[in-house]
Amino acid sequence: MKLIFLGPPGAGKGTLAALVSKEYGIPQISTGDIFRDAIKRETELGKKVKEIVGRGDLVPDELTVSLVRERLGQPDAAGGYILDGFPRTIPQATSLGEFQAMDAVVNFSISDEIVVGRLSGREVCKSCGAIYHVKNMPSKVKGVCDKCGGQLYTRPDDTIESITNRLEVYKKQTEPLVDYYREKRLLRDIDSSKSPEDTLVQIRKALGKPR
Ligand code: ADP
């Protein structure tokens, strides 16, 4: 199954992509994770995108598309995948459509207010990428990942300035994809304002049983 998870920052795409990836046995491909990993390892790509990602702006389409194209060519993606955070612009979507046909686009909807609350308390594991929230989804031991014992940190782009910018960027550049995929009859609308479990139930209904 080839899936896109579409929605504003903080909608829960990453959290749900991890759950769906396990259940459906397909890899989660997150462009945000790819960029953060490159920044951490200080690679050429990382140096190029560090400031852009920190501000919450979008990395240029050409660079992002070529990265995804390469990733989708790897063997583990042959049987399907979840694209988490890609495409984010109409040009990215048309480029993707030129080399891959999707089965469904899950559209996460949520209010700005909830998004800001979620992102301003978000914590991420440095080692395995698991996502927590200081209030809504705290780790058992403060600052320590339940899953792997890794150290939790706050993403540098989870500042109020960057969050506000990411929401604006989403509305201007990414939201047009909702109509784009609706017209292609691929869109599955879900409400992601409640718990991850509640959202997972909706996604299962929208997608059907794992094949
Ligand atoms: P969030 O959905 O919480 O904003 P992501 O982890 O998906 O976070 O993305 C973090 C950042 O990585 C974005 O703000 C942007 O700078 C960059 N990025 C991720 N995906 C893309 C993409 N498809 N196109 C351009 N930039 C991207």
Side-chain angles (χ1 to χ4, degrees):
M1 215 187 252
K2 295 178 177 172
L3 305 173
I4 292 171
F5 280 12
L6 180 66
K13 302 184 299 290
T15 302
L16 268 298
L19 298 175
V20 172
S21 160
K22 226 188 199 174
E23 192 165 314
Y24 286 67
I26 47 177
Q28 165 189 9
I29 298 176
S30 158
T31 40
D33 284 349
I34 295 173
F35 292 137
R36 277 186 292 279
D37 181 61
I39 293 168
K40 190 171 85 187
R41 293 189 291 116
E42 299 181 335
T43 63
E44 277 313 305
L45 172 69
K47 285 179 206 154
K48 251 189 229 162
V49 304
K50 186 173 180 181
E51 280 187 24
I52 303 175
V53 172
R55 281 197 304 270
D57 286 333
L58 294 185
V59 173
D61 287 336
E62 211 179 309
L63 182 59
T64 309
V65 169
S66 72
L67 210 101
V68 171
R69 187 193 285 271
E70 196 209 300
R71 178 65 187 85
L72 296 186
Q74 288 173 20
D76 68 325
Y81 46 76
I82 305 165
L83 286 174
D84 159 20
F86 180 91
R88 253 175 157 95
T89 63
I90 295 279
Q92 288 182 11
T94 49
S95 300
L96 175 67
E98 282 161 16
F99 69 99
Q100 293 276 307
M102 293 297 126
D103 293 303
V105 177
V106 179
N107 181 33
F108 288 63
S109 49
I110 187 157
S111 70
D112 288 1
E113 211 185 322
I114 300 183
V115 159
V116 173
R118 281 187 185 176
L119 295 181
S120 41
R122 175 159 74 178
E123 289 183 322
V124 184
C125 174
K126 263 190 183 153
S127 312
C128 76
I131 304 167
Y132 299 86
H133 187 281
V134 286
K135 270 195 241 128
N136 311 337
M137 248 202 305
S139 56
K140 289 192 188 102
V141 179
K142 196 169 177 261
V144 180
C145 179
D146 294 350
K147 297 194 176 102
C148 77
Q151 196 186 343
L152 304 186
Y153 79 111
T154 301
R155 271 172 45 177
D157 61 342
D158 279 346
T159 59
I160 193 68
E161 292 80 19
S162 181
I163 293 169
T164 312
N165 187 41
R166 273 149 65 208
L167 270 171
E168 266 170 39
V169 168
Y170 174 77
K171 280 178 192 154
K172 246 192 245 147
Q173 309 208 54
T174 309
E175 210 162 51
L177 293 179
V178 171
D179 283 340
Y180 177 88
Y181 284 118
R182 203 186 296 285
E183 276 162 24
K184 295 188 183 299
R185 302 187 172 278
L186 289 174
L187 210 73
R188 310 282 180 271
D189 288 297
I190 57 140
D191 166 10
S192 64
S193 58
K194 297 188 193 85
S195 65
E197 293 74 27
D198 180 272
T199 310
L200 182 60
V201 170
Q202 294 179 59
I203 295 178
R204 278 193 197 119
K205 265 191 211 143
L207 299 178
K209 293 247 167 349
R211 283 182 213 155

